[in-house]
Structure formats: structure tokens, C-alpha cells
Amino acid sequence: MPDSWYANGVLKHSRKAKGFGAAINSFLDGTIVFVDNLNDSGAGSLRTAMTTVGAKMIIPRVGGTLRWTAVPPDFTADTYLAGQVAPGGGLQLTPDTLYSGTLFNVPVSNVVVRGVRIRHNPAGTPGTGQTNFAVRVPANGVSFMDCSVAFSLDENVSIAKASGGAQTMLNVTVQDCLIAEGLSGHSTGATITGTSDESVPTRFYQDITNISIYRNLFVRNHQRNPLLCSGGVESINNFVHDWANQVGRTRFASTIDIISNYCQ
């Protein structure tokens, strides 16, 4: 059966989009913002495009490596970053100097990121926040598709609630991505986890739900390929190659569907 443009009657951002984060289309009511250079900031930069408030589609008209020279910006809501149309070899993001934070962070709703490469660096103590792509509360509706992430000292992909009180996160898809080469010391693929109050086991790892990890390639991450701890997550048709400590992991009161994954 061919892919449909609709999910439960709602227009998707791409005909091939799958999972809980497929039905995102609010950017269609906005403007087109062009990225015309690889500068960290200023007119025509990706930073300016990402921080522009309002619904928008970001179109790169330049390819190459963009090096963040300052703390990377968070996405604003109702954004489609169409990295798949970048010319030449496409668009790659990396820190200009040794940076130990998150390179792409989505704390808002209705965001699509497609066709970008994200490469971190070996800065700081392993496992202290050196994340390539992160989704945080109160995000509702995020799709990370056709991308690649590598060389993180913490999480290559992190869909997690570390704080935020009663805020929730839902409807997120990571699809058709390469998630690879987590660096030694904290070599991990992807983490999906909610609140972590172990004093209330029935509420442990809750407050995030409807997360789809679909048809990704996990390569040479020691563990967390992925880590699945939430009130509702599905891991479908993923391929895990050359893992070390653990293929994946889950804990406590999680609700998980693991379907047709392959580990080598």
C-alpha cells in the first residue's frame, strides 16, 4: 500500500512520515525563510531563521558545514527545517570550539527537522549534556527525519523530561536517521525517558507519551539503542549494528511496543 498524505484524517508534513509525530502541518500557514550563508548569526543565517517567531518553512540555499560559535539557539514553534533541499553535500552542524551542551534543542510544539547532519565534539566530562538532538517539555508534535547524528559524549538523541513539573511531552517521531558513533566514556544512541522519581515507582518515567522510533540505523553506540522508559513508546523496524554493553534498556512502569527490530 502506498504511503498516504494523511494520518487519521490530518495532513502529514511528508507522505512517508510515520508514527505519532507525522501529522504536523502548522508551518504551512506561515512564511518561507531562506538560509543564504553558513554564518553563526546575522541576516541569512540559520540562527536568525530558527529564532524567527511564527509559522515558517526554513529553506537552505547553501550547503556545507555551519559551525556554531555561540550557544546554539532553541527552535521556535511551528517550524519546518527543510535540510533535504540544501544544495551540494547538504547541511552539517557542529560546534566551532569545544562545546559541552546541546546542538539542536526543541522545547516547543510542531517542529519538523529533515535532512541535516549533526556532529558533536569530545568536550567536557562524558555524560554531562553533550547532546546532538534533544526534545524537551512541553513539546507536542516533533519529527526528526532523514538526519544523521554522531560523536556525542552524552546522548546522540535525547527525548527526555528532566524537570518541568506537571508539563508533558507527546507525539514525537525519530525516523529514517543514522544514530552513530557515541564517543567512549558515555557512548549512547537514543534516550526516551520521562520524570525520574524513583520514590513513586508507578509514576517513574511518566509524563511523556506517544513516541515513535522508526526505521533508524544505530551504529557503534555501546548502549541505549535505544533506552525506552516512558508511558508510551514504540520501537519499530530499527537496525542496531556493533553494540557493546547493551542493545537497549527499559525500567519500571513503562509501556512499550518493540516490533521487528534487528540487532547485529
Side-chain angles (χ1 to χ4, degrees):
M1 179 180 295
D3 292 328
S4 170
W5 276 105
Y6 292 87
N8 297 321
V10 180
L11 181 66
K12 301 190 300 184
H13 66 83
S14 168
R15 189 171 64 179
K16 77 165 192 172
K18 304 290 187 183
F20 293 112
I24 301 171
N25 57 46
S26 60
F27 61 90
L28 294 173
D29 295 326
T31 60
I32 294 177
V33 181
F34 294 106
V35 175
D36 289 321
N37 58 64
L38 298 175
N39 299 337
D40 176 83
S41 61
S45 68
L46 179 60
R47 181 185 297 271
T48 296
M50 288 174 59
T51 55
T52 299
V53 176
K56 59 193 168 297
M57 176 177 281
I58 299 174
I59 304 294
R61 296 195 288 198
V62 62
T65 298
L66 189 161
R67 301 182 184 277
W68 295 124
T69 59
V71 175
D74 291 345
F75 275 88
T76 52
D78 306 310
T79 297
Y80 184 122
L81 173 54
Q84 76 273 20
V85 304
L91 188 62
Q92 176 170 289
L93 297 108
T94 191
D96 184 57
T97 57
L98 293 180
Y99 172 68
S100 57
T102 298
L103 295 186
F104 254 19
N105 187 46
V106 182
V108 292
S109 298
N110 301 320
V111 173
V112 179
V113 180
R114 283 193 71 180
V116 297
R117 302 190 303 276
I118 309 173
R119 302 290 184 267
H120 222 300
N121 57 30
T125 302
T128 56
Q130 305 92 329
T131 298
N132 276 317
F133 180 78
V135 184
R136 298 289 185 255
V137 293
N140 179 358
V142 176
S143 180
F144 187 60
M145 188 165 77
D146 299 330
C147 296
S148 69
V149 291
F151 308 144
S152 175
L153 261 178
D154 197 346
E155 309 294 340
N156 267 316
V157 174
S158 175
I159 303 169
K161 178 183 179 181
S163 61
Q167 291 181 316
T168 60
M169 180 198 311
L170 66 159
N171 300 326
V172 179
T173 293
V174 178
Q175 174 184 343
D176 295 329
C177 291
L178 172 66
I179 302 170
E181 302 281 0
L183 297 178
S184 180
H186 195 80
S187 176
T188 62
T191 293
I192 297 90
T193 179
T195 50
S196 53
D197 182 4
E198 296 192 39
S199 67
V200 187
T202 57
R203 288 288 299 158
F204 193 65
Y205 293 131
Q206 301 297 301
D207 299 321
I208 69 172
T209 190
N210 291 359
I211 313 296
S212 300
I213 310 299
Y214 180 76
R215 207 166 56 194
N216 301 288
L217 178 60
F218 292 85
V219 177
R220 291 186 175 176
N221 306 297
H222 289 182
Q223 58 182 319
R224 299 183 182 178
N225 296 292
L227 166 70
L228 304 172
C229 298
S230 84
V233 60
E234 58 185 14
S235 177
I236 302 173
N237 294 150
N238 299 288
F239 188 101
V240 183
H241 173 71
D242 203 10
W243 52 278
N245 303 343
Q246 302 171 337
V247 173
R249 187 185 182 193
T250 186
R251 298 184 70 189
F252 291 105
S254 298
T255 306
I256 302 167
D257 292 319
I258 300 175
I259 303 170
S260 298
N261 298 281
Y262 184 84
C263 304
Q264 182 186 68

